[in-house]
Amino acid sequence: MLDVLGRDVQGEAAVLRGRGAVSRVVLPGGVGAWVVTDAGVMRGLLMDGRVSKDAYRHWPAWRRGEVSGSWPLAVWVSVQNLVTSYGAEHRRLRGLMASAFTARRVALLGPRVEEIAGGLLDGVEEAAGRAGGGVVDVRELFALPLPGRVMLELFGIPEEFRGPLREIIDGFFDTAVSSVEAQSNYRALYSTMGELVAFKRRCPGEDLTSALIAAGAGEGGGGGLGEKELVDNLIMLLSAGCEPTVNLLGNAVALLLGDLGQLELVRSGRVSWGDVVEEAVRVEAPGANAILRYAVEDVRVGETVIERGDALVMSFAAAGRDPGVHGEDADVFDVTRETRREHLSFGHGVHYCLGAPLARLEAEIALRALFGRFPRMRAAFVPGELPRTESFISNGPRVLPVVPGPAAHQAAAGG
């Protein structure tokens, strides 16, 4: 039974990996599934047309109501968007999403990400001053707000929607919520997103929400986005663009401060910040377990047969530390690792994350800015003992206490 609080994601992943490439697990609510831990098997299944993410077409337990909308994790399978689509429907939606989520739009965000990061680091500096040079939480002050602000600007979200959306997205990743809480969050989610879409129709702008609404204008002629599709895809893009990047930043900072030798490698220029990002994503997948996929027909994995209609969980946490790919020291954070880019944390195949370039861009800019501003920053935690997010899906530190030390300009002025 997977721990709904995710108290030891990596320990649990190691146990599951020891049971074989695939094994049985129980999700909240007593829902059974197969978990995939072997990186090679996972890569193959992520490319396999016999594996779907569409619960409405390929998960009999959902179609028959054996798993209902009251299930605490129902929002992950009930939405109908790019992530949960299959076949021709997925190709249609991905084409529409890609047309709005272009490389040019992402590249143009770079200077704005730097501005947002700089402003947030001013706040960290002020907080450190108030603390008399003591401990501040850089997750709360920097890693958490930065991706959210970037996504809110990318989507053109007005100020009045930002607080409610942040709370909703937090609840989206909480795998320990009750059925009542989950349903309340589900209603709030659709109510808020419906209001947002109505506002952007009245007041369109040069933003991703307006671009997707424009794409939806073809609904009557076929090929466009229907109303629920539009809302569901906005939910997917917003949630996928916030929480995983928060985790990526938190994990990377914790790993670097936990091993100053690794930090020195990047500061000396022997490796790049991009290398840091890839190794951090590998060793601590920001999304530990991806739910759910379904067997469209019987699929054999070694001696095991995953029967038609069975649900699958992809354990990116386990695959990222697969010793068959990364060696016997796969648990070790090593920015010089030759296989650092051979991870599956952004997915693979047709469902490869559309936002991966943006996540990489944000993380590289943010890490460079943070460690550049505070060259003497040190950990105020014991490596490996930070409290983690209470989720088996979301994987990152819940707090990140550090002693920033003097800012670079202060250190220079003081010699």
Side-chain angles (χ1 to χ4, degrees):
M1 181 174 290
L2 292 182
D3 179 9
V4 296
L5 295 176
R7 284 166 288 203
D8 185 13
V9 163
Q10 296 297 348
E12 193 170 66
V15 169
L16 290 167
R17 197 167 50 238
R19 293 183 177 179
V22 296
S23 58
R24 294 292 292 175
V25 293
V26 179
L27 302 175
V31 174
W34 294 97
V35 65
V36 184
T37 58
D38 180 275
V41 170
M42 186 180 296
R43 190 179 296 272
L45 291 173
L46 292 174
M47 291 286 289
D48 197 325
R50 298 172 299 167
V51 176
S52 167
K53 296 195 74 177
D54 189 335
Y56 294 90
R57 291 171 62 185
H58 300 124
W59 195 20
W62 179 259
R63 290 204 314 268
R64 294 194 295 258
E66 296 164 14
V67 178
S68 70
S70 64
W71 184 41
L73 301 180
V75 68
W76 288 90
V77 302
S78 63
V79 290
Q80 293 175 287
N81 57 32
L82 177 66
V83 170
T84 59
S85 58
Y86 175 76
E89 183 68 5
H90 179 265
R91 290 189 292 274
R92 179 182 72 85
L93 289 174
R94 192 169 183 97
L96 289 167
M97 297 298 104
S99 69
F101 208 85
T102 62
R104 179 178 178 275
R105 191 187 294 272
V106 171
L108 290 173
L109 278 172
R112 184 59 186 138
V113 174
E114 291 178 357
E115 289 179 18
I116 294 171
L120 291 171
L121 290 174
D122 290 343
V124 174
E125 195 173 327
E126 292 170 7
R130 291 193 299 271
V135 176
V136 299
D137 182 357
V138 292
R139 182 188 187 275
E140 181 68 25
L141 297 175
F142 184 67
L144 177 64
L146 188 143
R149 291 193 186 181
V150 171
M151 293 304 291
L152 292 171
E153 291 203 10
L154 179 64
F155 282 86
I157 309 296
E159 192 65 39
E160 62 266 29
F161 289 95
R162 297 186 175 189
L165 279 174
R166 179 70 256 179
E167 291 182 19
I168 290 167
I169 290 169
D170 287 345
F172 199 69
F173 286 90
D174 186 349
T175 53
V177 296
S178 67
S179 296
V180 172
E181 290 171 321
Q183 290 179 72
S184 175
N185 193 58
Y186 184 87
R187 289 191 295 270
L189 179 65
Y190 275 92
S191 173
T192 302
M193 293 305 294
E195 291 173 14
L196 171 64
V197 168
F199 174 84
K200 297 304 291 186
R201 280 205 170 99
R202 294 193 305 270
C203 307
E206 296 295 321
D207 56 71
L208 188 54
T209 305
S210 299
L212 290 175
I213 289 172
E219 179 183 354
L225 287 169
E227 189 70 13
K228 187 175 189 301
E229 281 184 327
L230 173 62
V231 171
D232 282 354
N233 279 287
L234 282 170
I235 291 168
M236 177 272 295
L237 290 169
L238 273 171
S239 58
C242 290
E243 184 77 5
T245 310
V246 173
N247 292 338
L248 167 53
L249 288 174
N251 287 330
V253 172
L255 289 163
L256 287 169
L257 291 180
D259 187 341
L260 296 181
Q262 297 292 303
L263 180 57
E264 178 55 29
L265 286 171
V266 67
R267 279 182 164 156
S268 68
R270 281 174 281 179
V271 298
S272 69
W273 287 109
D275 294 325
V276 172
V277 170
E278 297 303 329
E279 178 65 356
V281 166
R282 177 200 70 82
V283 78
E284 287 289 0
N289 295 290
I291 62 169
L292 285 171
R293 285 171 168 80
Y294 321 97
V296 176
E297 57 184 77
D298 289 359
V299 178
R300 179 176 291 277
V301 177
E303 298 301 314
T304 301
V305 175
I306 300 170
E307 295 183 358
R308 177 181 178 182
D310 282 358
L312 296 94
V313 175
M314 299 293 166
S315 177
F316 294 130
R321 298 190 178 194
D322 187 338
V325 177
H326 304 290
E328 292 305 313
D329 67 342
D331 289 345
V332 177
F333 175 65
D334 178 3
V335 294
T336 67
R337 186 182 300 278
E338 291 185 1
T339 60
R340 60 186 174 274
R341 290 181 174 82
E342 296 176 27
H343 60 76
L344 296 167
S345 298
F346 289 121
H348 186 65
V350 296
H351 282 285
Y352 183 78
C353 178
L354 268 179
L358 177 57
R360 288 183 166 108
L361 175 76
E362 286 183 69
E364 290 185 35
I365 291 173
L367 293 170
R368 184 184 300 111
L370 175 64
F371 286 97
R373 177 74 71 98
F374 301 108
R376 301 179 189 173
M377 184 166 58
R378 66 182 188 273
F381 56 87
V382 177
E385 295 186 11
L386 280 171
R388 311 293 292 181
T389 50
E390 295 182 341
S391 171
F392 66 82
I393 295 173
S394 181
N395 177 39
R398 199 163 69 242
V399 295
L400 196 49
V402 305
V403 177
H409 62 91
Q410 295 171 331

